[in-house]
Amino acid sequence: MAKRRPTPLRTSGQDVAASRRAPQTPQTQSPAFRLAFADDDFLTAEETRGIRFQLEYQKTEQRLHEHGVNSTVVLFGGARIPEPGKPAWAAKNETQKKNLELASRYYDEARRLAQLASMASKNLDGKEFVVVTGGGPGVMEAGNRGAADLGAQTIGLNIVLPHEQAPNIFVTPELSFNFHYFATRKIHFLLRAKVVAIFPGGFGTLDEFFETLTLIQTGRMERIPLLLFGAEFWSKVINFEALAEAGTIAPTDPELFTVVDTAQQGWDVVRAFYDLPDLGPAPGWK
């Protein structure tokens, strides 16, 4: 965190340390005696939920500001999609194994897209087009990995889940966050977003896609490049034409996103939208 400004007043940290040195008496051992901001029971109570929302928002906001992150490229996609050549660890049957291993090409496309974004970022002092993911495996790992390939800072917004989950090793450690509330995490995904790329995935990916799409459709968010990777996958999963024919969306609403199949196609959309220079293809990897 940023250095504290010099002050003649005692700091909260000093008083936390001092309170812990108080004589052990029934009074000092009572929960009532704890400093409010150092009292876990108080801070995790139902009545202080609003404070926790604020703290989760503020901690991430403050650290991103300290690291000079002005804008981001957000990658959403399936945690279960393996790296090419690796087994489909999440497959529950042979059909899933086959399809997940075929989908591993999206791991490479996500990695390439992150490389292209990071090339643009480094050309802009590393403050714009910073790659951000949910910090987990699969497409998320690929996105953070692509940025790490170029030595660019990259963000992971993890969330505590019932099953054990650790951030992937490619997230910049100082930008590896952990959330309790989906709501505050969602805010940070989109607050600085200049690009949102959606790769094949499950419920979580669908949630993030439709939330972003709804915000743009309703004018609650400025229109930005919203890239939907994988024409074959999405044409099977969502029938946008049926929605338009039913009248539940406008005939022009599918124009709010762009379907692409490769990272280069996707980045060409971004370059045209923001009038960015052509820095060449992604460097690839060995």
Side-chain angles (χ1 to χ4, degrees), residues 60 62 71-72 75 96 101 111 123 176 216 232 259 268 274:
T60 307
Q62 188 169 320
S71 68
T72 57
L75 276 69
Q96 287 197 345
E101 290 176 358
R111 187 175 175 182
N123 195 48
S176 181
I216 295 173
E232 182 181 0
V259 180
D268 286 344
Y274 292 110

mmCIF file of all heavy atoms in Angstrom, residues 60 62 71-72 75 96 101 111 123 176 216 232 259 268 274:
data_model
loop_
_atom_site.group_PDB
_atom_site.id
_atom_site.type_symbol
_atom_site.label_atom_id
_atom_site.label_comp_id
_atom_site.label_asym_id
_atom_site.label_seq_id
_atom_site.Cartn_x
_atom_site.Cartn_y
_atom_site.Cartn_z
ATOM 1 N N THR A 60 -9.286 -2.694 -3.531
ATOM 2 C CA THR A 60 -8.889 -2.957 -4.916
ATOM 3 C C THR A 60 -8.698 -1.650 -5.673
ATOM 4 O O THR A 60 -7.719 -1.492 -6.420
ATOM 5 C CB THR A 60 -9.954 -3.819 -5.609
ATOM 6 O OG1 THR A 60 -10.183 -4.986 -4.815
ATOM 7 C CG2 THR A 60 -9.513 -4.229 -6.998
ATOM 8 N N GLN A 62 -7.891 1.271 -4.572
ATOM 9 C CA GLN A 62 -6.690 1.966 -4.114
ATOM 10 C C GLN A 62 -5.428 1.341 -4.697
ATOM 11 O O GLN A 62 -4.537 2.047 -5.178
ATOM 12 C CB GLN A 62 -6.646 1.929 -2.577
ATOM 13 C CG GLN A 62 -5.548 2.775 -1.955
ATOM 14 C CD GLN A 62 -5.745 2.889 -0.457
ATOM 15 O OE1 GLN A 62 -6.869 3.033 0.031
ATOM 16 N NE2 GLN A 62 -4.664 2.822 0.287
ATOM 17 N N SER A 71 -6.929 1.628 -17.624
ATOM 18 C CA SER A 71 -7.936 0.895 -18.397
ATOM 19 C C SER A 71 -7.517 -0.559 -18.535
ATOM 20 O O SER A 71 -6.337 -0.905 -18.381
ATOM 21 C CB SER A 71 -8.136 1.521 -19.780
ATOM 22 O OG SER A 71 -6.980 1.343 -20.589
ATOM 23 N N THR A 72 -8.492 -1.413 -18.826
ATOM 24 C CA THR A 72 -8.232 -2.851 -18.846
ATOM 25 C C THR A 72 -8.836 -3.536 -20.070
ATOM 26 O O THR A 72 -9.750 -3.012 -20.713
ATOM 27 C CB THR A 72 -8.824 -3.527 -17.592
ATOM 28 O OG1 THR A 72 -10.229 -3.239 -17.527
ATOM 29 C CG2 THR A 72 -8.140 -3.028 -16.328
ATOM 30 N N LEU A 75 -10.843 -10.560 -19.908
ATOM 31 C CA LEU A 75 -11.040 -11.860 -20.543
ATOM 32 C C LEU A 75 -11.887 -12.736 -19.633
ATOM 33 O O LEU A 75 -11.500 -13.020 -18.489
ATOM 34 C CB LEU A 75 -9.704 -12.557 -20.815
ATOM 35 C CG LEU A 75 -8.976 -12.174 -22.112
ATOM 36 C CD1 LEU A 75 -8.451 -10.741 -22.032
ATOM 37 C CD2 LEU A 75 -7.819 -13.141 -22.386
ATOM 38 N N GLN A 96 -17.306 -35.110 -22.753
ATOM 39 C CA GLN A 96 -16.758 -33.860 -22.233
ATOM 40 C C GLN A 96 -15.251 -33.784 -22.448
ATOM 41 O O GLN A 96 -14.717 -32.722 -22.800
ATOM 42 C CB GLN A 96 -17.076 -33.722 -20.746
ATOM 43 C CG GLN A 96 -18.536 -33.399 -20.458
ATOM 44 C CD GLN A 96 -18.734 -32.881 -19.048
ATOM 45 O OE1 GLN A 96 -17.861 -32.997 -18.187
ATOM 46 N NE2 GLN A 96 -19.900 -32.291 -18.800
ATOM 47 N N GLU A 101 -10.954 -30.900 -24.784
ATOM 48 C CA GLU A 101 -9.629 -30.922 -25.402
ATOM 49 C C GLU A 101 -9.646 -30.244 -26.771
ATOM 50 O O GLU A 101 -8.680 -29.576 -27.152
ATOM 51 C CB GLU A 101 -9.112 -32.355 -25.478
ATOM 52 C CG GLU A 101 -8.756 -32.899 -24.087
ATOM 53 C CD GLU A 101 -8.322 -34.348 -24.084
ATOM 54 O OE1 GLU A 101 -8.331 -34.980 -25.173
ATOM 55 O OE2 GLU A 101 -7.976 -34.862 -23.003
ATOM 56 N N ARG A 111 -4.468 -16.469 -24.901
ATOM 57 C CA ARG A 111 -3.077 -16.092 -24.612
ATOM 58 C C ARG A 111 -2.567 -15.093 -25.650
ATOM 59 O O ARG A 111 -1.912 -14.097 -25.313
ATOM 60 C CB ARG A 111 -2.211 -17.350 -24.581
ATOM 61 C CG ARG A 111 -0.771 -17.128 -24.123
ATOM 62 C CD ARG A 111 -0.044 -18.454 -24.017
ATOM 63 N NE ARG A 111 1.368 -18.280 -23.688
ATOM 64 C CZ ARG A 111 2.235 -19.283 -23.583
ATOM 65 N NH1 ARG A 111 1.820 -20.525 -23.757
ATOM 66 N NH2 ARG A 111 3.499 -19.033 -23.290
ATOM 67 N N ASN A 123 3.206 -0.041 -25.028
ATOM 68 C CA ASN A 123 3.373 1.133 -25.895
ATOM 69 C C ASN A 123 2.754 2.383 -25.274
ATOM 70 O O ASN A 123 3.037 3.500 -25.708
ATOM 71 C CB ASN A 123 2.730 0.857 -27.263
ATOM 72 C CG ASN A 123 3.163 1.838 -28.330
ATOM 73 O OD1 ASN A 123 4.354 2.109 -28.491
ATOM 74 N ND2 ASN A 123 2.206 2.385 -29.053
ATOM 75 N N SER A 176 -3.045 -9.399 -7.316
ATOM 76 C CA SER A 176 -3.819 -10.627 -7.128
ATOM 77 C C SER A 176 -4.796 -10.392 -5.982
ATOM 78 O O SER A 176 -4.412 -10.374 -4.807
ATOM 79 C CB SER A 176 -2.886 -11.802 -6.799
ATOM 80 O OG SER A 176 -3.612 -12.986 -6.629
ATOM 81 N N ILE A 216 -24.576 -2.384 -21.686
ATOM 82 C CA ILE A 216 -24.397 -1.622 -22.927
ATOM 83 C C ILE A 216 -25.743 -1.370 -23.597
ATOM 84 O O ILE A 216 -26.043 -0.257 -24.044
ATOM 85 C CB ILE A 216 -23.434 -2.369 -23.876
ATOM 86 C CG1 ILE A 216 -22.028 -2.437 -23.265
ATOM 87 C CG2 ILE A 216 -23.390 -1.686 -25.241
ATOM 88 C CD1 ILE A 216 -21.049 -3.291 -24.048
ATOM 89 N N GLU A 232 -18.820 -21.168 -33.801
ATOM 90 C CA GLU A 232 -19.478 -22.481 -33.756
ATOM 91 C C GLU A 232 -20.062 -22.758 -32.379
ATOM 92 O O GLU A 232 -21.198 -23.225 -32.249
ATOM 93 C CB GLU A 232 -18.475 -23.574 -34.134
ATOM 94 C CG GLU A 232 -19.077 -24.963 -34.165
ATOM 95 C CD GLU A 232 -18.065 -26.045 -34.509
ATOM 96 O OE1 GLU A 232 -16.875 -25.714 -34.723
ATOM 97 O OE2 GLU A 232 -18.462 -27.236 -34.547
ATOM 98 N N VAL A 259 -18.665 -11.309 -33.202
ATOM 99 C CA VAL A 259 -18.229 -12.702 -33.125
ATOM 100 C C VAL A 259 -16.928 -12.859 -33.909
ATOM 101 O O VAL A 259 -16.844 -12.451 -35.074
ATOM 102 C CB VAL A 259 -19.305 -13.649 -33.686
ATOM 103 C CG1 VAL A 259 -18.830 -15.104 -33.607
ATOM 104 C CG2 VAL A 259 -20.617 -13.479 -32.917
ATOM 105 N N ASP A 268 -8.011 -6.714 -34.167
ATOM 106 C CA ASP A 268 -8.265 -5.803 -35.286
ATOM 107 C C ASP A 268 -9.513 -4.963 -35.021
ATOM 108 O O ASP A 268 -9.565 -3.773 -35.363
ATOM 109 C CB ASP A 268 -8.421 -6.581 -36.592
ATOM 110 C CG ASP A 268 -7.092 -7.118 -37.130
ATOM 111 O OD1 ASP A 268 -6.037 -6.641 -36.658
ATOM 112 O OD2 ASP A 268 -7.125 -8.012 -37.994
ATOM 113 N N TYR A 274 -10.445 2.019 -31.448
ATOM 114 C CA TYR A 274 -9.679 3.032 -30.718
ATOM 115 C C TYR A 274 -8.599 3.707 -31.557
ATOM 116 O O TYR A 274 -7.825 4.519 -31.026
ATOM 117 C CB TYR A 274 -9.037 2.401 -29.473
ATOM 118 C CG TYR A 274 -10.044 1.999 -28.423
ATOM 119 C CD1 TYR A 274 -10.295 0.656 -28.153
ATOM 120 C CD2 TYR A 274 -10.750 2.958 -27.700
ATOM 121 C CE1 TYR A 274 -11.221 0.279 -27.186
ATOM 122 C CE2 TYR A 274 -11.677 2.587 -26.725
ATOM 123 C CZ TYR A 274 -11.907 1.248 -26.474
ATOM 124 O OH TYR A 274 -12.831 0.875 -25.516
#
